[in-house]
Amino acid sequence: AKSYIAMAEVFEGQNELEKALQQYAKAIAIYQTEEDIANEALTNISIAGLFVKQQKYQSALDFYNANLSSENDLPLAVVATSYQGKAEVLRLQLQYLNALQLYDKALQFWASIENFKQAIVCLNSMGTLFETTGNLPESVRRYEQALSIAVKTENDDAIAAISNNLGVVYRKLGDYPKALDAYEKALKVYLETNNSREASYCYNNIG
């Protein structure tokens, strides 16, 4: 099965998605014979991601739902990834309310296993969705939660990205002092990490 997975990943990297799908399907057939539920679920996630690339969203949802139908038998990280992946698909389908509910479920699982990096990703995605739907105060709350975790875990990339997102929302709210403060926090990280492209973007926002 691992060989089929490896071949699928090569085909996917070459954007030969149908060939990749065939290899994933062969791997799943083996995992089902071996009753290896965990690896079957991981392969379902890979297939769902492949369908997202093809914009076949319902097919992607089918594979995420297959995992979630047996979530009690799966590792928590697999369950969290499935909820998060399904939320991403629903976001792409503009089903924002449903997506937010699933991001929240994924967040609970990530928090329970102390996967702070993915917790930040979920909170940032939720902040973006609330911003998209015009709920700016809730967007700020989620971004602030994500930023707090990023600071505690010393995740510089996340600190910069989320601070920048906060700056955008505060500017939309008309709170220019807080927007400026957020942009300057992002700029500080970008300068320290020699990320000149993002630093330039921050300078434009500050200016």
Side-chain angles (χ1 to χ4, degrees):
K2 290 182 179 179
S3 296
Y4 288 128
I5 295 291
M7 285 190 287
E9 290 172 348
V10 170
F11 282 129
E12 190 168 355
Q14 295 173 336
N15 207 36
E16 297 187 62
L17 303 185
E18 290 302 326
K19 289 182 179 179
L21 183 59
Q22 291 170 4
Q23 301 304 314
Y24 282 133
K26 290 177 181 177
I28 279 187
I30 293 172
Y31 289 137
Q32 288 175 339
T33 301
E34 297 174 346
E35 297 184 353
D36 188 341
I37 298 173
N39 276 313
E40 180 184 347
L42 286 171
T43 309
N44 283 342
I45 289 170
S46 296
I47 292 174
L50 188 151
F51 279 128
V52 170
K53 288 181 179 180
Q54 295 178 312
Q55 297 184 331
K56 296 180 179 179
Y57 298 135
Q58 187 54 53
S59 296
L61 288 175
D62 289 342
F63 279 88
Y64 286 129
N65 287 334
N67 283 359
L68 296 174
S69 67
S70 57
E71 66 175 87
N72 292 335
D73 300 319
L74 297 175
L76 294 182
V78 175
V79 176
T81 302
S82 299
Y83 274 120
Q84 190 169 335
K86 184 176 179 180
E88 285 292 328
V89 176
L90 294 176
R91 179 185 64 80
L92 291 168
Q93 293 181 314
L94 309 184
Q95 297 184 45
Y96 296 141
L97 181 59
N98 290 334
L100 282 166
Q101 291 172 345
L102 294 183
Y103 278 129
D104 197 47
K105 284 190 175 182
L107 177 62
Q108 292 173 35
F109 281 105
W110 291 129
S112 72
I113 58 176
E114 298 186 345
N115 188 322
F116 299 117
K117 184 176 181 179
Q118 288 302 321
I120 290 169
V121 171
C122 273
L123 285 165
N124 188 61
S125 296
M126 294 172 80
T128 302
L129 272 184
F130 279 120
E131 181 183 351
T132 300
T133 57
N135 190 342
L136 300 184
E138 192 63 27
S139 176
V140 167
R141 190 170 79 88
R142 297 297 181 168
Y143 284 142
E144 290 283 9
Q145 289 174 333
L147 183 60
S148 175
I149 297 172
V151 170
K152 288 178 182 176
T153 56
E154 299 180 347
N155 187 332
D156 285 342
D157 289 341
I159 290 170
I162 297 162
S163 294
N164 192 66
N165 290 344
L166 271 169
V168 172
V169 178
Y170 278 130
R171 188 173 62 182
K172 289 180 179 178
L173 286 166
D175 193 335
Y176 298 110
K178 285 187 177 180
L180 182 60
D181 182 62
Y183 285 137
E184 287 178 342
K185 284 180 181 177
L187 178 61
K188 181 175 182 290
V189 175
Y190 289 137
L191 291 175
E192 287 174 351
T193 56
N194 296 315
N195 189 331
S196 56
R197 185 174 67 87
E198 293 297 338
S200 176
Y201 177 73
C202 277
Y203 278 126
N204 288 336
N205 285 330
I206 292 171

